[in-house]
Amino acid sequence: MAGALMGLSSCKTAGGAVSSLNALDGEWKITEVDGQAVKAVPGEKEAFIGLNVKEMRLYGNTSCNNLIGGFEADVKNGKIHFGQAGSTRMMCPDMETEGKVLDAINKTRSFDMEKGGKLVFKDEGGKPLMKMEKK
């Protein structure tokens, strides 16, 4: 499956060209979720999503707990879907950001690359759920 996904060579999204699945690879700092800016809270970790396209693996931090899981992506059509994701279960002073990040991941069905290189996850209807910038 990964070989088939890697074979998708180019597409044009509304914000910019994504030439291959490799454009998604790496760590992405979460800058906005559910329409609200995400700012680092003293004493908490930076919220980010990591995408390992070679292994089709998701990892990251929700601002409190670590996150792991898998994903499938179709670059040609701008589609992405996350399988069952797991996380650690620590309690933190601000659990609101974590809840919004997990909800956004569960609802994500597509992606787009905006001008300036921001990665945007969108729901089934195309509504932006989460915006990120490369770390």
Side-chain angles (χ1 to χ4, degrees):
M1 179 168 121
L5 291 171
M6 294 298 284
L8 298 171
S9 62
S10 76
C11 76
K12 182 77 173 171
T13 62
V18 176
S19 60
S20 75
L21 192 57
N22 289 330
L24 301 177
D25 196 54
E27 295 184 350
W28 298 86
K29 176 183 171 183
I30 300 171
T31 58
E32 186 180 307
V33 64
D34 194 27
Q36 296 180 345
V38 174
K39 298 189 187 308
V41 175
E44 292 188 12
K45 298 176 183 176
E46 178 179 72
F48 78 95
I49 297 293
L51 299 173
N52 179 324
V53 299
K54 183 176 181 183
E55 298 176 10
M56 301 305 286
R57 186 173 58 88
L58 160 75
Y59 63 97
N61 191 282
T62 62
S63 78
C64 177
N65 286 291
N66 293 325
L67 177 68
I68 58 168
F71 72 96
E72 296 177 0
D74 176 351
V75 175
K76 183 177 179 184
N77 294 306
K79 302 292 182 190
I80 191 166
H81 177 76
F82 297 98
Q84 190 76 15
S87 69
T88 55
R89 295 284 187 198
M90 296 182 297
M91 289 296 295
C92 296
D94 175 23
M95 298 297 289
E96 184 178 354
T97 298
E98 172 161 316
K100 288 180 179 182
V101 168
L102 293 173
D103 189 51
I105 289 170
N106 287 329
K107 291 179 179 176
T108 295
R109 296 296 177 266
S110 64
F111 70 92
D112 197 5
M113 198 71 73
E114 288 185 342
K115 291 181 182 177
K118 284 200 176 204
L119 177 61
V120 181
F121 288 164
K122 298 179 177 184
D123 69 11
E124 194 168 0
K127 175 187 171 197
L129 298 168
M130 190 159 52
K131 294 185 179 187
M132 296 153 282
E133 60 187 32
K134 200 79 171 222
K135 282 178 82 173

